[in-house]
Amino acid sequence: MRNRVLLAWVFLGVVWGSTWLFIKVGLADLPPFTFAALRFLIAPVPLLLAIRARRLPWPHGAAEWRLMVSNGVLAFTVGYGLVFWGEARISSGLTALLFTMYPLFGLLFAHVLVPGERLTPRKVSGVLLGLGGVGLIFGGQLDLGGPETLAGAAAVVLAAASSALSTVMVKARGQKIDAMVLTAVPMAIGCPPLLAAALVLEGNPLAHHWTPRAWLSLLYLAFVGSSLAFVIWYWLVKRIEVTRAQLMPLVNTLVAVVMGWLILGESHGWRDLTGGAAILLGL
């Protein structure tokens, strides 16, 4: 079991590290809410078919459906809506660095919601270091890019908080629900509000610039970065401490920054690098 857990953890670190690059590439052709909505319109389809084929039980009872709705809204509507909107304004590497606050927010939420995962002085120190790193990065964004890039950075940090709360709630209340159901149903619930925002703010999805790279980015994010990755993620969360699972940004941030540098030519100033180092040190 330990080897399977480690393999799942590393696989997700690499896959989700690459998703920041594919989001940035797709945003060159597609507006953010449309891109995010279509990702989660496509991603649940194979999972729902597999759930039906395997005859897995659907959520039942008010408590399980509340978890499905809260997970869908927090992780997919709010979390990914803000991530895509924010990354349209900042680099993929910086997005990954800021999203590294996700496990540090998770520490705070787990302290309240998950018995046995309490804050300790060392954990509090880690959170404070991470917040200091975010402050450094925000200062750099305000100096270099002004309010627009600062808003993008703030959106990614809020996305990290929303996603962390979602994951902790799954850990606390979703132990009896199959990982495939925990993935597909919240995605299907979280997609319609994103689609509504896309239609109102960005117009007809078919009228956008559908290049081969837009299609490649969308399909990779939907099937590999979502359908496959989230099933593995919720399988993992149910088997180890949620605060340990949420340390994954240590891997995917490194992957994202290196890929952004090698493929997109992204560079970072001293504030970004020092702030990112503080966040990682906090972890």
Side-chain angles (χ1 to χ4, degrees):
M1 175 61 74
R2 180 175 296 180
N3 289 339
R4 291 170 63 192
V5 165
L6 180 60
L7 182 62
W9 197 87
V10 173
F11 173 80
L12 287 174
V14 174
V15 168
W16 275 341
S18 70
T19 58
W20 305 110
L21 171 69
F22 281 94
I23 292 173
K24 193 66 178 178
V25 169
L27 286 170
D29 299 311
L30 301 174
F33 293 124
T34 298
F35 193 10
L38 292 177
R39 174 181 180 177
F40 296 116
L41 182 65
I42 296 171
V45 173
L47 300 178
L48 292 170
L49 293 173
I51 289 168
R52 180 173 180 139
R54 294 175 57 194
R55 298 182 179 179
L56 295 174
W58 295 98
H60 61 278
E64 289 192 357
W65 277 109
R66 279 197 300 269
L67 178 62
M68 295 297 104
V69 172
S70 61
N71 191 20
V73 172
L74 289 170
F76 300 108
T77 304
V78 177
Y80 276 98
L82 289 174
V83 160
F84 277 65
W85 187 87
E87 194 169 339
R89 289 154 176 80
I90 60 177
S91 70
S92 65
L94 183 57
T95 304
L97 282 173
L98 288 169
F99 201 81
T100 308
M101 282 300 297
Y102 165 77
L104 299 180
F105 285 127
L107 289 174
L108 300 175
F109 296 132
H111 175 75
V112 177
L113 296 173
V114 182
E117 296 196 29
R118 299 299 184 187
L119 282 173
T120 63
R122 187 167 66 176
K123 289 180 179 180
V124 171
S125 299
V127 172
L128 293 176
L129 267 173
L131 290 173
V134 169
L136 268 176
I137 292 172
F138 273 22
Q141 293 308 297
L142 190 58
D143 291 343
L144 294 174
E148 182 74 2
T149 55
L150 184 62
V156 174
V157 173
L158 288 174
S162 182
S163 299
L165 177 57
S166 167
T167 300
V168 171
M169 290 175 67
V170 168
K171 176 66 175 181
R173 303 169 186 170
Q175 292 291 328
K176 297 180 180 179
I177 305 173
D178 185 86
M180 195 171 289
V181 176
L182 273 173
T183 303
V185 175
M187 278 184 188
I189 291 171
C191 176
L194 279 175
L195 195 56
L199 291 170
V200 171
L201 300 174
E202 299 166 352
N204 182 2
L206 299 178
H208 297 309
H209 194 208
W210 285 99
T211 63
R213 69 181 177 184
W215 278 109
L216 174 64
S217 298
L218 176 61
L219 295 176
Y220 178 83
L221 290 169
F223 293 126
V224 181
S226 301
S227 300
L228 176 61
F230 273 100
V231 171
I232 296 174
W233 171 242
Y234 290 126
W235 176 88
L236 185 65
V237 164
K238 292 197 292 183
R239 284 161 176 80
I240 63 175
E241 287 185 6
V242 67
T243 47
R244 288 182 181 272
Q246 288 179 330
L247 290 175
M248 195 169 299
L250 284 168
V251 177
N252 66 41
T253 299
L254 177 61
V255 172
V257 170
V258 170
M259 291 184 74
W261 171 59
L262 290 175
I263 298 172
L264 300 178
E266 295 176 350
S267 60
H268 300 279
W270 73 269
R271 283 180 178 269
D272 292 348
L273 296 176
T274 305
I279 294 172
L280 294 174
L281 182 60
L283 288 177

